[in-house]
Amino acid sequence: MPLPEKYYVSYNCVHKLCKKSAEELLERIGKPDLIIGIGGGGFIPARILRTFLKHDGEKNIPIQAIGLSLYEDMGNQDTIGTEIVRTQWLDFGALEKNFDSLIGKNILIVDEVDDTRTTLHYALSELYKDINEKAKSLGRDIHDTKFSIFVVHNKMKAKRADIDESMMNGGVYLSGEDVPDKWIAYPWEANDIDDHTRRAVEQGHD
Ligand SMILES: O=P(O)(O)OC[C@H]1O[C@H](OP(=O)(O)OP(=O)(O)O)[C@H](O)[C@@H]1O
């Protein structure tokens, strides 16, 4: 049986989706105070997005990295993708020095793809939990801390987890594009970038 065709995406395509989405984000939530990229796939879109979220002459928006890995239990279909391991997390110490903590800030979480939504669910709920604990310890309220989410691609499929809007405090969820449930081939994974880009162009994703 032939392998299912992958959904090829070029660097230009990612760049343009980030540009278009940054304009929408600025309209809907204003300029974020902090971008949190979920590694590894979220790092490149996070950096591209920053270019378009900042106006000339303004300070760069800081980007923090978090690392999350999905451990799939292939033996049990019910638990696939349910275990997430933090491989890297925010350094509140460093953030406090340079950033006066995250409480009350406009925070944008970025990843390249929303597949089963497990990762985004985890990232939002754990960030909320940690910042809420911090807020409580300082006698402050988390409700003016806005959490938004941007993904380059959202796969149109049944999700395994939800994004809890009540944690977003007025923030938004935005995808650059909603796509079919196919294997997305991103350019940073390509061995032969010229061949990859040609395929992306052929599919109209350039
Ligand atoms: O919606 P989900 O089903 O949770 O899947 C999406 C996640 O899966 C991929 O991460 P992966 O762990 O493959 O690592 P990578 O980002 O380093 O490529 C991707 O970068 C997302 O973070």
Side-chain angles (χ1 to χ4, degrees), residues 38-42 68-70 72 81 84 111-120 157 159-160 188-189:
I38 304 177
L68 297 174
S69 268
L70 214 66
E72 300 191 349
I84 301 257
D111 209 347
E112 91 281 29
V113 64
D114 174 358
D115 185 3
T116 66
R117 205 161 273 174
T118 315
T119 303
L120 289 173
K157 64 192 286 184
K159 302 295 185 182
R160 288 181 185 269
W188 44 85
E189 289 163 343

Side-chain angles (χ1 to χ4, degrees), residues 22 25-26 31-32 35 49-55 61 108:
L25 286 168
L26 284 174
K31 187 178 158 190
I35 298 170
L49 204 63
R50 180 169 85 172
T51 298
F52 301 111
L53 287 171
K54 162 183 118 103
H55 299 115
I61 302 169
L108 179 63

Side-chain angles (χ1 to χ4, degrees), residues 6-155:
K6 291 181 187 173
Y7 188 98
Y8 286 87
V9 174
S10 69
Y11 277 115
N12 278 11
C13 178
V14 174
H15 201 94
K16 288 174 192 171
L17 289 172
C18 287
K19 181 177 184 192
K20 176 194 82 159
S21 304
E23 285 160 15
E24 188 174 339
L25 286 168
L26 284 174
E27 269 172 34
R28 293 176 67 187
I29 57 159
K31 187 178 158 190
D33 296 302
L34 175 71
I35 298 170
I36 297 177
I38 304 177
F43 294 162
I44 296 173
R47 177 58 188 88
I48 298 172
L49 204 63
R50 180 169 85 172
T51 298
F52 301 111
L53 287 171
K54 162 183 118 103
H55 299 115
D56 285 351
E58 288 178 357
K59 267 174 64 182
N60 271 334
I61 302 169
I63 300 176
Q64 282 268 325
I66 59 172
L68 297 174
S69 268
L70 214 66
Y71 279 82
E72 300 191 349
D73 178 359
M74 300 310 285
N76 180 348
Q77 293 296 312
D78 293 335
T79 60
I80 283 181
T82 53
E83 195 188 341
I84 301 257
V85 174
R86 289 184 186 189
T87 53
Q88 189 181 341
W89 200 245
L90 297 179
D91 178 353
F92 279 96
L95 281 168
E96 259 166 30
K97 265 187 233 133
N98 303 317
F99 209 74
D100 191 26
S101 102
L102 300 181
I103 307 155
K105 297 295 193 296
N106 191 4
I107 298 168
L108 179 63
I109 301 164
V110 176
D111 209 347
E112 91 281 29
V113 64
D114 174 358
D115 185 3
T116 66
R117 205 161 273 174
T118 315
T119 303
L120 289 173
H121 164 87
Y122 183 93
L124 174 65
S125 46
E126 292 296 297
L127 284 168
Y128 183 94
K129 196 177 82 187
D130 279 12
I131 297 170
N132 197 25
E133 269 171 24
K134 191 85 196 158
K136 277 189 186 156
S137 74
L138 297 169
R140 294 179 60 187
D141 188 355
I142 197 179
H143 289 101
D144 56 353
T145 309
K146 204 188 271 186
F147 294 90
S148 297
I149 293 171
F150 168 71
V151 288
V152 181
H153 294 106
N154 169 42
K155 289 192 189 176

